[in-house]
Amino acid sequence: MYKVFKFGGASVRDAEAIRNVVRILKKYPNDKLVVVVSAIGKTTNGLEELWKAYTKGSDKTTTILQSLQESHLRIANALFEPGDPVFDRLNDLWVTIEWVLEEEPHPDQNYTYDQIISVGELLSSTILSAFLEKEGVSNTWMDARDVVITDDHYREASVLWDRVESRCASKVIPLFEQSDIVVTQGFIGSTLDNNTTTLGREGSDYTAAIFGYALNAAGIWIWKDVPGILTADPKHFNNVIKIERLTYREAIEMTYYGAKVIHPKTIKPIQNKLIPLYVRSFLDPEVDGTMISAMDELKLPPIIVLEDNQAMLHISSKDFSFIGEHHLSRIFGLLAKHHLKINLMRNTAISFSVCFQYDDRKINRFLEELGDEFTVTMDRELELITIRHYNAATVKEMKKNKVILFEERIRDTIQMVTRPSPVIVRK
Ligand code: ASP
Ligand code: MG
């Protein structure tokens, strides 16, 4: 049986972290592992900056590229002897970016984005695979783009499941005849015409689920810098506790509402094949983390999910006509077309309000196409707070010092759109 391990950017952030990943992998000598790795540390953000600079025609591209190259080189120098063949392989990858930067801009900027951004995972997986080999852990590096076949919706590609399943059978399984570990990249895929695509930011968890699904894996292990799934983000809250077990249902709800611990798209494929998912700490690899699997609903403590950078758009008719089905269907059609994921919504007689993650690019296109048929206003810099399994004390605590713009309760979930209260300065 296959197991899929996913290591995120923080778990390979520097040479010491990569050594730690190797230590973890050495503990599983009897398993067949697909190891999915993200780009090192904040590389993807850096590559995003590079792409932005390039599309704006800015001269910053060279500096950004150099600093990314240097940070990778620092890590490689700490792990390998001078002259190791890995340096040439890394160089070749940087050259693919340099080519893109030298070319005339492609008409589809999202296409260019994927060609640049995907290199982060190619670099990290190359380093990890070579270092494992150096440490005596036999493994095979695999290009995920030979397997994760997608449509051509660049930057947010959809997986073509049948293709992925047949490629897993024809390309991945035979690799296990060479070694028990296959190292590959999260986040990236390819169209049938061999154009590189990506699956959406933080998409490496999803890649792990894709391989798990297509290989009918025994389980998926996501190695993180937290001990498991917690009742709230420890960066924002005190007194958080680890949740030992979660149902697929609870996990998909939590991540849908914005819990950052795993990517929301991860749950469906594994639920469909009842593959358990384990979230564990790479800092404390022996300790059980959270297990997500099929089981009866559990009694859970309040779980708080906070999403910032929310916007609320208020769309109303200009002539006092009701916002009826035909308006709504037009609005929804445009929201879908521009991939604006609705977090909350409400309609009244002549208005429709919707809350989503603020994204300049998508919202401007949406508004442009909506035209001037409606009056539109927008509130920004809001927070969306979701409490699953809420109780009065938690709700009270969460409302402290906040202006509540919107609140909705459905069964065991309460959601609020809030704004930090204005600071009143006395003169
Ligand atoms: N490296 C990609 C990102 O940072 C994918 C991932 O980390 O999951 O978005
Ligand atoms: Mg990342």
mmCIF file of all heavy atoms in Angstrom, residues 38-39 44 121 187 201-204, ligand 1:
data_model
loop_
_atom_site.group_PDB
_atom_site.id
_atom_site.type_symbol
_atom_site.label_atom_id
_atom_site.label_comp_id
_atom_site.label_asym_id
_atom_site.label_seq_id
_atom_site.Cartn_x
_atom_site.Cartn_y
_atom_site.Cartn_z
ATOM 1 N N SER A 38 6.463 21.218 -1.057
ATOM 2 C CA SER A 38 6.183 22.601 -1.500
ATOM 3 C C SER A 38 7.487 23.326 -1.758
ATOM 4 O O SER A 38 8.562 22.836 -1.405
ATOM 5 C CB SER A 38 5.471 23.386 -0.404
ATOM 6 O OG SER A 38 4.246 22.841 -0.091
ATOM 7 N N ALA A 39 7.372 24.529 -2.274
ATOM 8 C CA ALA A 39 8.547 25.370 -2.483
ATOM 9 C C ALA A 39 9.134 25.756 -1.120
ATOM 10 O O ALA A 39 8.430 25.822 -0.112
ATOM 11 C CB ALA A 39 8.150 26.613 -3.259
ATOM 12 N N THR A 44 7.477 30.922 -3.041
ATOM 13 C CA THR A 44 6.361 31.205 -3.961
ATOM 14 C C THR A 44 5.979 32.682 -3.918
ATOM 15 O O THR A 44 5.687 33.284 -4.955
ATOM 16 C CB THR A 44 5.157 30.296 -3.639
ATOM 17 O OG1 THR A 44 5.632 28.957 -3.569
ATOM 18 C CG2 THR A 44 4.082 30.393 -4.709
ATOM 19 N N GLU A 121 8.673 24.677 -6.657
ATOM 20 C CA GLU A 121 8.526 23.274 -6.251
ATOM 21 C C GLU A 121 9.533 22.386 -6.985
ATOM 22 O O GLU A 121 9.982 21.379 -6.439
ATOM 23 C CB GLU A 121 7.101 22.787 -6.531
ATOM 24 C CG GLU A 121 6.098 23.000 -5.395
ATOM 25 C CD GLU A 121 5.715 24.440 -5.116
ATOM 26 O OE1 GLU A 121 6.043 25.321 -5.930
ATOM 27 O OE2 GLU A 121 5.102 24.696 -4.064
ATOM 28 N N PHE A 187 1.375 21.347 -5.865
ATOM 29 C CA PHE A 187 0.925 22.632 -6.424
ATOM 30 C C PHE A 187 0.939 22.713 -7.950
ATOM 31 O O PHE A 187 0.219 23.500 -8.534
ATOM 32 C CB PHE A 187 1.809 23.729 -5.797
ATOM 33 C CG PHE A 187 1.581 25.142 -6.200
ATOM 34 C CD1 PHE A 187 0.320 25.726 -6.110
ATOM 35 C CD2 PHE A 187 2.650 25.931 -6.624
ATOM 36 C CE1 PHE A 187 0.137 27.071 -6.443
ATOM 37 C CE2 PHE A 187 2.482 27.273 -6.949
ATOM 38 C CZ PHE A 187 1.218 27.835 -6.854
ATOM 39 N N ARG A 201 -2.937 28.912 -4.891
ATOM 40 C CA ARG A 201 -1.982 29.063 -3.802
ATOM 41 C C ARG A 201 -2.266 28.068 -2.674
ATOM 42 O O ARG A 201 -3.405 27.740 -2.389
ATOM 43 C CB ARG A 201 -1.990 30.506 -3.254
ATOM 44 C CG ARG A 201 -1.316 31.542 -4.147
ATOM 45 C CD ARG A 201 0.135 31.247 -4.451
ATOM 46 N NE ARG A 201 0.978 31.011 -3.291
ATOM 47 C CZ ARG A 201 1.671 31.935 -2.654
ATOM 48 N NH1 ARG A 201 1.616 33.190 -3.053
ATOM 49 N NH2 ARG A 201 2.442 31.618 -1.629
ATOM 50 N N GLU A 202 -1.220 27.635 -2.066
ATOM 51 C CA GLU A 202 -1.256 26.648 -0.976
ATOM 52 C C GLU A 202 -1.802 25.297 -1.445
ATOM 53 O O GLU A 202 -2.328 24.522 -0.653
ATOM 54 C CB GLU A 202 -2.078 27.165 0.220
ATOM 55 C CG GLU A 202 -1.673 28.534 0.741
ATOM 56 C CD GLU A 202 -0.215 28.635 1.154
ATOM 57 O OE1 GLU A 202 0.348 27.627 1.578
ATOM 58 O OE2 GLU A 202 0.356 29.726 0.998
ATOM 59 N N GLY A 203 -1.660 25.033 -2.731
ATOM 60 C CA GLY A 203 -2.294 23.847 -3.309
ATOM 61 C C GLY A 203 -1.556 22.526 -3.121
ATOM 62 O O GLY A 203 -2.017 21.489 -3.605
ATOM 63 N N SER A 204 -0.446 22.527 -2.399
ATOM 64 C CA SER A 204 0.302 21.265 -2.276
ATOM 65 C C SER A 204 -0.439 20.188 -1.481
ATOM 66 O O SER A 204 -0.283 18.999 -1.754
ATOM 67 C CB SER A 204 1.656 21.499 -1.610
ATOM 68 O OG SER A 204 2.458 22.288 -2.429
HETATM 69 N N1 ASP B 1 4.240 26.779 -2.782
HETATM 70 C C1 ASP B 1 2.837 26.988 -3.040
HETATM 71 C C2 ASP B 1 2.346 28.182 -2.271
HETATM 72 O O1 ASP B 1 3.053 28.670 -1.400
HETATM 73 C C3 ASP B 1 2.009 25.791 -2.755
HETATM 74 C C4 ASP B 1 1.999 25.356 -1.308
HETATM 75 O O2 ASP B 1 2.843 25.754 -0.514
HETATM 76 O O3 ASP B 1 1.102 24.594 -0.934
HETATM 77 O O4 ASP B 1 1.258 28.633 -2.510
#
